[in-house]
Amino acid sequence: MINVTDATLQPASPKVRLLKGLASGIVLVSGLFWTSPAVAADVSQLPPGFQAKVDLAAQACAEFNDGQFDLDWGAVERVDLDGDLQRDWVLNESGFACSSAASLFCGTGGCMSHFLIEEEVHSLLNRGWTVVDFGRHRIVLADVHGSNCDGINPTPCASASVWDAEAKTWRSSAGDWQ
């Protein structure tokens, strides 16, 4: 390793090499625990409900001017959606791509995200989502189309949903603000 200082080349000090090695090790180890997206190329490990959605998307792409379908990095995520400390599955169509149609899977309302909990797949059209802890619940917050809030496309609108394990459904409330 070489440090460049004042236009002279000097070997890196042992401390610098040690710090760089430590940083590399931390990054490597954190990668083992990080809940990062699944590798895009390996769709064989997807749950059957998600595999069917990917197969339908690939078929739709192929039928549209012989397009080539691609599943981008980040399309599949593993995250605890219901607070049971088990990572659930999410399939984001924002990570779908078709060579012959730029907007085949997403539009002004956003893209579909498919959430799999306890073998149940539920889908939500959104422009982005995140999960937060609120009290004793895990809440899925989503940026949704303004028409969900009695507006139009640019009207700011969000949904907050919690998984009801007993009823096996998502619960949301529009709320009546006064």
Side-chain angles (χ1 to χ4, degrees), residues 50-89:
F50 281 3
Q51 186 63 56
K53 294 202 179 289
V54 169
D55 291 345
L56 282 172
Q59 179 183 350
C61 178
E63 290 173 359
F64 192 85
N65 294 329
D66 241 356
Q68 296 296 312
F69 176 79
D70 186 39
L71 189 67
D72 292 337
W73 180 261
V76 178
E77 295 183 66
R78 300 293 311 270
V79 61
D80 181 12
L81 297 169
D82 56 359
D84 67 355
L85 303 178
Q86 301 296 314
R87 294 187 310 160
D88 302 296
W89 291 84

Side-chain angles (χ1 to χ4, degrees), residues 6-146:
D6 300 332
T8 62
L9 298 177
Q10 302 172 2
S13 72
K15 287 182 184 179
V16 170
R17 285 194 302 269
L18 178 64
L19 286 174
K20 286 182 179 181
L22 233 115
S24 298
I26 289 170
V27 168
L28 179 64
V29 170
S30 68
L32 298 174
F33 300 104
W34 190 258
T35 57
S36 63
V39 176
D42 186 15
V43 296
S44 65
Q45 299 300 316
L46 289 178
F50 281 3
Q51 186 63 56
K53 294 202 179 289
V54 169
D55 291 345
L56 282 172
Q59 179 183 350
C61 178
E63 290 173 359
F64 192 85
N65 294 329
D66 241 356
Q68 296 296 312
F69 176 79
D70 186 39
L71 189 67
D72 292 337
W73 180 261
V76 178
E77 295 183 66
R78 300 293 311 270
V79 61
D80 181 12
L81 297 169
D82 56 359
D84 67 355
L85 303 178
Q86 301 296 314
R87 294 187 310 160
D88 302 296
W89 291 84
V90 181
L91 178 64
N92 297 298
E93 290 190 13
S94 59
F96 289 11
C98 181
S99 64
S100 58
S103 62
L104 187 60
F105 305 109
C106 300
T108 60
C111 309
M112 292 299 287
S113 291
H114 310 283
F115 301 88
L116 175 68
I117 299 178
E118 302 174 21
E119 306 305 316
E120 297 282 329
V121 177
H122 295 266
S123 304
L124 178 67
L125 182 65
N126 68 89
R127 297 181 228 184
W129 61 272
T130 191
V131 179
V132 298
D133 289 312
F134 186 74
R136 60 188 175 101
H137 298 289
R138 297 278 290 170
I139 309 291
V140 173
L141 298 174
D143 178 3
V144 295
H145 193 276

